[in-house]
Amino acid sequence: MDFLRPSTLAEALAVKAERPDAVPIAGGTDVMVELNFDHRRPGALLDLNRVSELAEWTEADGKIRLGASVPYVRVIAELGEVLPALAMASRTVGSPQIRNRGTVGGNLGAASPAGDTHPVLLVLGAEVEAASVRGTRLIPAEEFYLGVKRNALEPDELITAVHLPAEAGPQQFAKVGTRNAMVIAVCSFALALHLDTREIRAAVGSAAPTPRRATAAEEYLGGELPWSTKASLTDSVKRRFGELVAEAASPIDDVRGSADYRKHALSVLARRTLTWAWNDFQKGERECA
């Protein structure tokens, strides 16, 4: 196995063009597990740790450009105010050691249905920045996930950043695991209330071959929320929203939980996160358009 160590992004893209079989590695929290258990044996590893361009984030024109190698611990510490749901999801990833090394870019590259950040990227309308020697393109998060551990990258492309809106409105993320820490999600759920457009976005994780939005639940809730009065939500609205979220999932039975349990848990997570997000909206000073 070759170990390739470019020092600039241009060099990394050139190496990836020459060696499309090379597997990118930054934190290594997914790749090294696969190597250690002999589940994967690539011809080369492409170490991106010396590529400083991938390890920074910037904000401009109401958008955050999050470098692919920015670790979860920095998302939590530096972006919790403008990307609260992403910070919430980042806090649930592994252990402190994993959060110091793991990245959103790595989560995207692995494309596991159970990846903690995926539902958040969907509800925020994120775009994945993919680069190659041929140029750079933005892939909407909804088009990025193609199947279990399959994504929309071309063989010569690297994930260089994720583009997300700053301060999009009340956001929530929650997941269920078999224990409180160091756990792969049995299921997860993210919710965002986009105040300017009065749009609801909801997405499920670890409950289908890919993370996916719960569009029927979004449409239902969009017509039921008392935006103008900020009145409290009725139990019937929360319950129906939870039912529609569960219907959006197509989970399997596995060692972490049954399909029926996942659907039940998603309905509970949906009701809880809706309550928390709406409470945030009621307390907020900003009025929706």
Side-chain angles (χ1 to χ4, degrees):
M1 184 187 301
D2 295 327
F3 190 70
L4 312 172
R5 298 195 71 195
S7 57
T8 67
L9 180 57
E11 185 181 344
L13 297 178
V15 171
K16 186 62 171 166
E18 183 180 340
R19 293 290 304 271
D21 64 318
V23 174
I25 183 170
T29 58
D30 285 315
V31 173
M32 291 308 300
V33 172
E34 293 181 334
L35 293 179
N36 288 339
F37 284 92
D38 207 24
H39 294 161
R40 192 177 197 179
R41 194 58 57 183
L45 290 179
L46 179 56
D47 178 17
L48 300 174
N49 281 291
R50 295 199 296 180
V51 181
S52 60
E53 298 100 311
L54 301 179
E56 299 299 332
W57 65 268
T58 57
E59 181 176 1
D61 301 323
K63 285 270 190 178
I64 300 291
R65 182 185 180 276
L66 178 66
S69 294
V70 176
Y72 293 118
V73 67
R74 287 185 57 199
V75 173
I76 296 166
E78 301 170 22
L79 293 168
E81 290 294 320
V82 292
L83 296 172
L86 190 61
M88 292 175 197
S90 297
R91 289 188 190 98
T92 73
V93 175
S95 63
Q97 295 93 330
I98 297 294
R99 292 191 290 274
N100 272 306
R101 296 294 299 163
T103 67
V104 176
N107 218 201
L108 283 163
S112 166
D116 290 320
T117 64
H118 301 323
V120 175
L121 300 183
L122 288 175
V123 301
L124 294 183
E127 294 178 307
V128 181
E129 181 182 299
S132 71
V133 293
R134 297 174 289 108
T136 301
R137 65 184 177 126
L138 294 178
I139 308 170
E142 290 183 62
E143 300 174 12
F144 186 79
Y145 309 104
L146 301 184
V148 177
K149 297 189 176 182
R150 292 175 48 237
N151 60 46
L153 291 177
E154 296 294 336
D156 65 339
E157 287 183 318
L158 293 174
I159 298 169
T160 47
V162 182
H163 296 247
L164 305 119
E167 300 186 75
Q171 307 164 16
Q172 288 290 332
F173 171 83
K175 85 176 188 182
V176 170
T178 53
R179 57 179 187 247
N180 287 334
M182 294 285 289
V183 65
I184 299 173
V186 174
C187 63
S188 61
F189 180 73
L191 176 68
L193 309 182
H194 294 268
L195 304 185
D196 292 338
T197 59
R198 296 192 179 187
E199 180 186 10
I200 312 300
R201 280 181 172 248
V204 301
S206 201
T210 65
R212 61 172 61 161
R213 285 177 59 189
T215 53
E218 294 172 348
E219 293 169 2
Y220 166 76
L221 191 60
E224 295 292 329
L225 291 182
W227 294 104
S228 300
T229 65
K230 294 189 177 183
S232 297
L233 302 182
T234 65
D235 288 340
S236 62
V237 167
K238 296 177 187 177
R239 184 168 57 252
R240 182 56 181 157
F241 177 64
E243 291 170 353
L244 290 171
V245 166
E247 290 175 10
S250 55
I252 61 171
D253 297 325
D254 64 15
V255 295
R256 297 196 306 277
S258 68
D260 287 342
Y261 175 74
R262 284 183 163 95
K263 288 200 168 192
H264 170 72
L266 282 170
S267 68
V268 174
L269 294 182
R271 295 197 302 270
R272 288 178 179 173
T273 54
L274 173 57
T275 299
W276 299 333
W278 193 251
N279 286 344
D280 289 343
F281 173 60
Q282 289 177 313
K283 296 173 184 175
E285 297 180 358
R286 181 184 172 192
E287 298 291 338
C288 61

